[in-house]
Amino acid sequence: MDLSGEDDYFTVCYLCNEQYQDPRILSCIHTFCMKCLLKLQSSPDHFNRPTFPCPRCSCDVKIPKDGIETMPQNRFIEKLTELKRMLKPELTEQVCGACVEQKSDEMSPVENYCVDCSQMLCNECTRHHKQTKASKYHEILGLTEATGNIPKLMKSLGKRRCEAHRGNALDLYCTDCHVELCAKCYIESHQQHKWMELKQCAEGFRKELRDLVFSIESCEDDIKNRRLQLDSEKLDLVEEAKNMQEDIKAAKQETQQAVDKHTDQLISDINSHKTTRSNAIVEFYGKFDINLNLLSNFKTYCKELIQNGSSSDVCTFINDIKTRSDELVHLSELTVEQSLTSFKMDLRLGRNEFHEGFNFVGRLQDKNSADCDSESNEARIKRLAEEIDQLTQELQKERTLRMSREEQLGAYVQHAETLTSQLKQEQAKTVSQAEKIVDLKMTSQRENREWSAKEAQLKKECDETKTRLQQTDRTNNDLKKRVETVKAKVAELQRTVETLNSDNKEHEERKTQLMNDHEKETIELIGKINAMQTDMDLLKTLASGKVSRKPNGLSIDYENDVSKHSVIRSVEQTTEQLMIKGLTILGNELYIAFESKSTVEVWNLETMQFRRRWRLQEMKDPIDMTSCSVTNCLYLVANTCMKRGIYVIARVDIRGALLKQWSIEDTFGNLSSTEEGNVLLAVAKDPAVKEYSKDGILLRTIELSWNFGFANLHHAIKLSANHFLVSHGAGDDCLHRVCIVDGTGEVLKSYGREWNRDDLDCPSHAIRDSAGNILVTDTLNGCIIALKSNLKLISPLATFSDRRFKAKKDWTFRPRKICLDESRSRLFVAETVIQRHLSSLTFEMLSVFTLKSSLKRKI
């Protein structure tokens, strides 16, 4: 929390937009000024009501029986507001608290701050404050020093005094009444109640709060994942709607083309049949005329023969006339019996019958002409015309039905257009969100400029470090002079002892004692000088950025390209996909430990072949593994088989025999070995670095404060007697970085900017080569970066950098564990590979990369 910046979320009231005055906390954990709550209650919408909605989250808040004035005070917000006023004196006028209490007419400028009294003091009141018996031992800081030590100010402002017993310290907590107590309060009214020390109780509550924060972060991750899923569903909806529109338009076009084609074909067939039958009718007309003419002439001839012919004429031609009459009657019958073959229209329209080549509108078929034998030619022609009209009407109905289908298709198209407009609205919202993202990027650029200013300040601090180094050099020279003086004294004492050697046995014993004492003092001074020399060399390295290498040794050039050597397929992974939890090298062998397994595989580094495996019965679900060349053994941290949630550190030999085991309770983390043969544990839950001896004795604990951004600690490496390299950061943490800290947990150097995941995103593992360079797994960015000993970036390893670009397309590579075989210039990387479009397709892989090395002279 940066109270010196412009972020006023914790110090400014949401309603009045001013710094809090008498802050009161609601049941929804939101805080407002007392005057703002009174004003809100007196408004017409909430007057005389038992509840009122929170102005921030709209939750119903119940008003206490004794009135809204009895709402609990938020001491924490009040403390932050007071600290904000101190860090920004321009917000309020700073006056001496003692002068105000004495009602002095002249107010001297404020120069100091009393940590125990939480009070500003001028120089004159500071002098009286130190002389007063009750406050002479109070801790007084200069104003500049006080504002620069925020943790101490927070501790000072957090001290509360008992209002009932003249400011006695509240250092007890009643678990029955849930109130803070002083000693007198406990004696007077809480002797029968359960109580705890306030600090112990607060630690328990802090642990519960951390669990709550962890659950809230899990809920945040679920919501973010659901939001990403909705984004994917929205994109799928857009694509599906687009495909539906195209299908509808294609179906419309195909249907329309088929209907037009079938309709044109049917009309053409009808016109062809009409023409054929019209020509046949005309031909029948000609035959009818000829037959009628023959019959008329024969009838006239017969009538004339009957009226005017003689008997001889009649008798002569009667036979011929009968024969001709029979011929004409037969010919007339044949002419009448001949008829035109009619046709009918079979209209049909079915969705299930529609296919290419099928007559969608209808077809023509012959009609039995047997029913028309008795009809006359005129009747037939009339009936043919009626059938043609009926066919035309049916064709008109077919066109009407086609138009209705086109209207239905239009309705589908209109619905698709409606979906398209909705999708466009969603796209507009997406564009709005993109604009917000651009605004966030601009804000990020502004923050980058601020970080540049901070970097300049860090450079200034580096110069101050160099000045301190010079002072250390002078101190070292003084110590050397003292050593020379001590050596001279020792020589003088030796001469004195030689002189007194002939006196008696008592003088001899005294001489021996004096020599031993001075020798011890000399050895202690030399040890201190060596430790200071080591720390001074490290500080010089941090300041200059130069790296010392072994003479005539092979040095790995991390700026050159990295080539993939091979992939190790472990025996355990042939049957199931197991995550690699431990990876280390000891001697000429590579050791691999897997999740939920008690076995460790051993591979030969020369032949890259599987050698053996052994099982440690006491181990279940290992967390990490490291090796120590000093003691020639392995260290493993794992969950004990006896009880779930209890972790142990086990020291085993190269054959898997258990040498030593000790419990670390419910803490766990990654391991690394030191040059002294000890083992470091990077505690992930409560950020701290613990150093154990090979026999499990806790040598020291370095606590890493949350106030300095330490959260989700991953790994720690011991650089010198008083300097350590740590990596931390995961999820939505503001800082993902690698830094160097001293024995008190203070950060001396770091790599990784705040709220910038491009530098580092979850640095889960780190190693150090013999030249002092650092290799760090940038897990979520999918690469490994190389840093100098002063944490200046050398370069991301080229192969991993390329894979980092490819990870944005189809595959994601997540390197988690690394170990380096410098003698063969090989880098072993345990990584998780994920197919982006198939989230269930994941597998574990142990890759071997070849690094380029060159012969370097000593710098």
Side-chain angles (χ1 to χ4, degrees):
M1 186 187 305
D2 188 7
L3 295 175
S4 61
E6 299 297 331
D7 187 6
D8 296 332
Y9 178 80
F10 290 99
T11 58
V12 173
C13 178
Y14 176 76
L15 293 176
C16 62
N17 201 24
E18 296 178 357
Q19 286 196 337
Y20 283 108
Q21 296 181 3
D22 191 10
R24 302 301 177 99
I25 186 169
L26 307 183
S27 58
C28 59
I29 317 300
H30 287 137
T31 303
F32 304 95
C33 297
M34 187 67 228
K35 62 178 183 179
C36 297
L37 293 177
L38 291 172
K39 184 177 179 180
L40 180 66
Q41 186 192 20
S42 60
S43 62
D45 295 335
H46 311 110
F47 186 70
N48 286 338
R49 290 189 177 181
T51 61
F52 67 92
C54 173
R56 267 189 178 273
C57 62
S58 301
C59 292
D60 286 335
V61 179
K62 187 176 181 181
I63 299 175
K65 295 180 180 179
D66 298 333
I68 200 170
E69 295 83 358
T70 59
M71 283 279 188
Q73 291 182 330
N74 195 332
R75 302 288 186 184
F76 177 68
I77 294 297
E78 190 174 7
K79 178 175 63 173
L80 292 180
T81 306
E82 180 64 24
L83 185 57
K84 182 77 172 183
R85 293 192 185 101
M86 292 177 60
L87 294 176
K88 283 197 169 185
E90 65 273 12
L91 298 178
T92 58
E93 182 180 0
Q94 294 184 352
V95 296
C96 175
C99 291
V100 173
E101 292 176 357
Q102 296 173 6
K103 298 181 180 180
S104 177
D105 296 334
E106 295 182 0
M107 295 293 180
S108 301
V110 174
E111 299 292 341
N112 301 298
Y113 178 78
C114 179
V115 176
D116 296 279
C117 298
S118 302
Q119 193 176 47
M120 296 285 189
L121 298 174
C122 62
N123 286 334
E124 185 65 23
C125 294
T126 300
R127 186 172 60 82
H128 290 295
H129 205 70
K130 291 181 178 179
Q131 294 175 355
T132 305
K133 183 177 181 180
S135 59
K136 64 185 298 183
Y137 296 108
H138 287 189
E139 184 177 3
I140 297 177
L141 302 174
L143 191 58
T144 304
E145 183 183 0
T147 55
N149 197 341
I150 293 179
K152 186 173 288 187
L153 286 177
M154 291 284 288
K155 182 178 179 182
S156 169
L157 293 174
K159 293 180 179 179
R160 292 180 55 198
R161 302 290 179 177
C162 181
E163 298 177 357
H165 299 99
R166 296 183 179 179
N168 287 349
L170 296 172
D171 51 6
L172 301 177
Y173 185 80
C174 179
T175 57
D176 293 337
C177 302
H178 303 289
V179 294
E180 301 171 53
L181 307 173
C182 68
K184 290 186 177 180
C185 290
Y186 172 72
I187 294 172
E188 291 178 359
S189 55
H190 295 270
Q191 288 189 9
Q192 304 300 325
H193 295 176
K194 295 181 181 179
W195 62 274
M196 296 176 65
E197 290 186 3
L198 187 62
K199 291 184 179 179
Q200 181 182 1
C201 185
E203 286 301 323
F205 289 155
R206 282 193 179 95
K207 185 176 181 181
E208 293 179 4
L209 288 175
R210 290 191 189 100
D211 295 338
L212 290 176
V213 170
F214 180 78
S215 62
I216 293 298
E217 290 176 349
S218 177
C219 293
E220 288 179 348
D221 293 339
D222 293 341
I223 293 174
K224 290 179 181 178
N225 293 334
R226 179 54 182 163
R227 186 172 181 179
L228 293 175
Q229 184 180 359
L230 289 178
D231 292 339
S232 176
E233 291 178 359
K234 186 177 78 173
L235 294 176
D236 294 341
L237 177 62
V238 172
E239 185 67 22
E240 184 179 357
K242 183 178 178 181
N243 295 335
M244 288 176 63
Q245 291 179 4
E246 294 177 355
D247 293 342
I248 290 173
K249 290 180 180 179
K252 173 186 175 183
Q253 186 175 3
E254 291 176 1
T255 304
Q256 187 172 0
Q257 290 177 355
V259 171
D260 292 341
K261 179 180 178 181
H262 295 166
T263 303
D264 294 340
Q265 181 66 36
L266 185 61
I267 292 174
S268 176
D269 292 343
I270 291 173
N271 290 333
S272 176
H273 282 280
K274 177 181 176 182
T275 301
T276 302
R277 282 158 179 72
S278 296
N279 294 334
I281 290 172
V282 171
E283 183 179 354
F284 275 121
Y285 278 154
K287 290 181 180 180
F288 288 162
D289 291 340
I290 293 172
N291 289 334
L292 288 174
N293 190 18
L294 290 175
L295 291 173
S296 177
N297 292 334
F298 182 77
K299 183 180 68 173
T300 302
Y301 178 79
C302 289
K303 286 182 180 181
E304 289 292 331
L305 184 60
I306 291 171
Q307 292 178 1
N308 301 318
S310 63
S311 299
S312 177
D313 294 333
V314 172
C315 293
T316 302
F317 296 106
I318 186 63
N319 293 327
D320 295 335
I321 290 173
K322 287 182 179 181
T323 303
R324 180 60 178 170
S325 175
D326 294 335
E327 290 178 354
L328 290 175
V329 170
H330 181 69
L331 180 62
S332 174
E333 290 178 353
L334 292 176
T335 303
V336 172
E337 288 178 355
Q338 291 182 358
S339 64
L340 294 173
T341 303
S342 182
F343 57 91
K344 67 179 180 178
M345 186 70 183
D346 183 13
L347 293 177
R348 68 197 182 281
L349 187 61
R351 295 182 180 178
N352 296 331
E353 298 178 357
F354 177 73
H355 56 82
E356 185 177 1
F358 181 77
N359 192 340
F360 186 82
V361 179
R363 66 167 179 241
L364 294 172
Q365 68 178 30
D366 293 335
K367 183 178 179 183
N368 187 10
S369 58
D371 298 335
C372 304
D373 293 338
S374 61
E375 295 180 0
S376 64
N377 293 333
E378 292 83 2
R380 290 174 182 173
I381 294 171
K382 183 177 180 180
R383 185 169 56 80
L384 181 62
E386 291 176 354
E387 289 179 354
I388 291 173
D389 293 338
Q390 184 179 2
L391 182 63
T392 303
Q393 292 178 0
E394 291 177 352
L395 181 62
Q396 187 68 25
K397 291 180 181 179
E398 181 68 20
R399 288 181 178 177
T400 303
L401 182 60
R402 186 186 67 181
M403 291 177 64
S404 66
R405 288 201 168 193
E406 290 178 352
E407 291 176 357
Q408 186 176 6
L409 289 174
Y412 286 141
V413 173
Q414 184 177 4
H415 180 64
E417 291 175 351
T418 303
L419 291 176
T420 304
S421 63
Q422 293 177 357
L423 291 173
K424 287 182 178 179
Q425 293 177 359
E426 292 291 334
Q427 291 176 354
K429 293 181 180 179
T430 306
V431 170
S432 176
Q433 293 178 354
E435 292 175 352
K436 292 180 180 179
I437 293 173
V438 171
D439 293 338
L440 290 175
K441 287 185 177 179
M442 294 178 66
T443 304
S444 177
Q445 292 176 358
R446 184 172 63 255
E447 291 177 351
N448 288 336
R449 290 193 294 269
E450 294 176 359
W451 275 108
S452 298
K454 291 183 178 180
E455 185 176 3
Q457 184 179 0
L458 288 175
K459 289 182 179 179
K460 183 178 178 182
E461 293 177 357
C462 185
D463 294 337
E464 293 176 357
T465 303
K466 290 181 180 180
T467 303
R468 290 198 298 269
L469 283 174
Q470 295 174 358
Q471 294 176 356
T472 305
D473 290 336
R474 289 193 293 269
T475 305
N476 189 20
N477 294 331
D478 294 338
L479 289 172
K480 288 181 179 179
K481 290 179 181 180
R482 289 181 60 188
V483 170
E484 292 176 358
T485 303
V486 171
K487 289 181 178 180
K489 289 182 179 180
V490 171
E492 183 179 357
L493 288 172
Q494 287 177 351
R495 289 192 297 269
T496 304
V497 169
E498 290 175 358
T499 305
L500 298 175
N501 191 24
S502 59
D503 291 345
N504 51 32
K505 187 178 179 180
E506 183 179 355
H507 290 172
E508 184 69 27
E509 293 177 354
R510 184 178 179 186
K511 181 192 71 172
T512 304
Q513 182 178 0
L514 288 174
M515 289 183 65
N516 291 336
D517 293 339
H518 285 283
E519 285 179 359
K520 289 181 180 178
E521 183 179 357
T522 302
I523 292 172
E524 291 177 358
L525 287 174
I526 292 173
K528 290 181 180 179
I529 290 172
N530 292 334
M532 292 184 65
Q533 186 67 36
T534 303
D535 293 341
M536 187 172 64
D537 292 340
L538 180 61
L539 290 174
K540 286 181 179 179
T541 301
L542 295 178
S544 63
K546 295 183 178 180
V547 180
S548 62
R549 296 183 174 90
K550 297 179 180 180
N552 300 326
L554 286 176
S555 176
I556 297 175
D557 189 359
Y558 296 108
E559 296 181 354
N560 285 328
D561 196 5
V562 178
S563 60
K564 191 169 184 178
H565 179 75
S566 62
V567 175
I568 294 178
R569 185 65 174 175
S570 65
V571 178
E572 293 289 345
Q573 290 180 330
T574 56
T575 57
E576 58 182 330
Q577 285 292 329
L578 296 175
M579 182 179 293
I580 296 175
K581 286 300 188 74
L583 188 66
T584 187
I585 292 175
L586 183 60
N588 195 33
E589 294 178 328
L590 173 68
Y591 296 82
I592 310 173
F594 302 89
E595 67 172 340
S596 303
K597 291 288 183 179
S598 300
T599 58
V600 174
E601 290 187 6
V602 185
W603 289 67
N604 189 296
L605 290 177
E606 290 183 356
T607 62
M608 296 300 293
Q609 297 294 325
F610 174 79
R611 197 165 191 176
R612 66 182 182 278
R613 63 177 172 181
W614 44 262
R615 182 183 302 273
L616 186 62
Q617 298 295 338
E618 293 78 9
M619 180 181 67
K620 179 182 180 182
D621 194 10
I623 303 299
D624 193 20
M625 176 175 61
T626 188
S627 60
C628 179
S629 59
V630 178
T631 58
N632 195 31
C633 65
L634 302 174
Y635 291 95
L636 295 100
V637 58
N639 193 0
T640 179
C641 297
M642 302 300 296
K643 186 175 182 181
R644 188 70 178 175
I646 301 300
Y647 297 87
V648 297
I649 296 178
R651 180 166 66 92
V652 299
D653 62 12
I654 60 175
R655 294 293 177 180
L658 182 64
L659 303 177
K660 182 67 176 179
Q661 176 178 306
W662 63 91
S663 174
I664 54 175
E665 299 299 332
D666 59 346
T667 60
F668 64 92
N670 291 326
L671 300 175
S672 66
S673 61
T674 68
E675 294 179 356
E676 299 85 358
N678 300 327
V679 62
L680 288 183
L681 173 66
V683 181
K685 191 174 183 181
D686 296 323
V689 178
K690 295 186 177 182
E691 183 175 3
Y692 293 90
S693 69
K694 66 178 182 179
D695 296 323
I697 299 173
L698 180 60
L699 301 178
R700 68 164 128 180
T701 299
I702 302 172
E703 295 183 354
L704 304 177
S705 175
W706 292 78
N707 296 327
F708 294 112
F710 287 101
N712 293 306
L713 187 63
H714 294 298
H715 206 205
I717 301 174
K718 188 175 183 180
L719 303 178
S720 67
N722 200 36
H723 294 88
F724 299 83
L725 176 83
V726 297
S727 65
H728 69 92
D732 293 333
D733 294 342
C734 64
L735 279 175
H736 292 240
R737 62 179 178 173
V738 177
C739 53
I740 296 176
V741 299
D742 59 13
T744 63
E746 183 178 358
V747 178
L748 303 179
K749 208 78 173 179
S750 66
Y751 174 80
R753 294 170 291 176
E754 187 174 5
W755 299 114
N756 192 331
R757 302 289 180 81
D758 292 334
D759 291 344
L760 285 174
D761 195 354
C762 190
S764 59
H765 199 247
I767 59 175
R768 184 189 186 203
D769 64 10
S770 60
N773 298 318
I774 307 297
L775 295 181
V776 183
T777 59
D778 191 2
T779 300
L780 296 186
N781 281 330
C783 69
I784 296 177
I785 62 172
L787 303 174
K788 295 181 179 179
S789 60
N790 62 347
L791 301 189
K792 295 295 183 181
L793 177 65
I794 299 176
S795 174
L797 300 189
T799 297
F800 292 93
S801 179
D802 296 342
R803 289 168 55 176
R804 179 179 180 179
F805 175 77
K806 294 177 182 177
K808 297 180 180 179
K809 294 183 178 180
D810 297 323
W811 296 92
T812 300
F813 297 85
R814 300 283 172 81
R816 297 178 294 97
K817 301 281 186 181
I818 56 176
C819 67
L820 182 63
D821 184 9
E822 288 192 71
S823 61
R824 300 173 180 83
S825 299
R826 289 178 181 174
L827 180 66
F828 296 85
V829 182
E831 54 188 354
T832 302
V833 184
I834 304 173
Q835 217 287 340
R836 294 175 63 86
H837 300 295
L838 300 173
S839 59
S840 60
L841 181 57
T842 63
F843 59 92
E844 295 292 317
M845 183 170 63
L846 179 56
S847 303
V848 186
F849 295 88
T850 302
L851 305 173
K852 293 186 177 180
S853 59
S854 58
L855 191 62
K856 297 289 184 177
R857 293 183 179 179
K858 184 177 180 181
I859 299 176

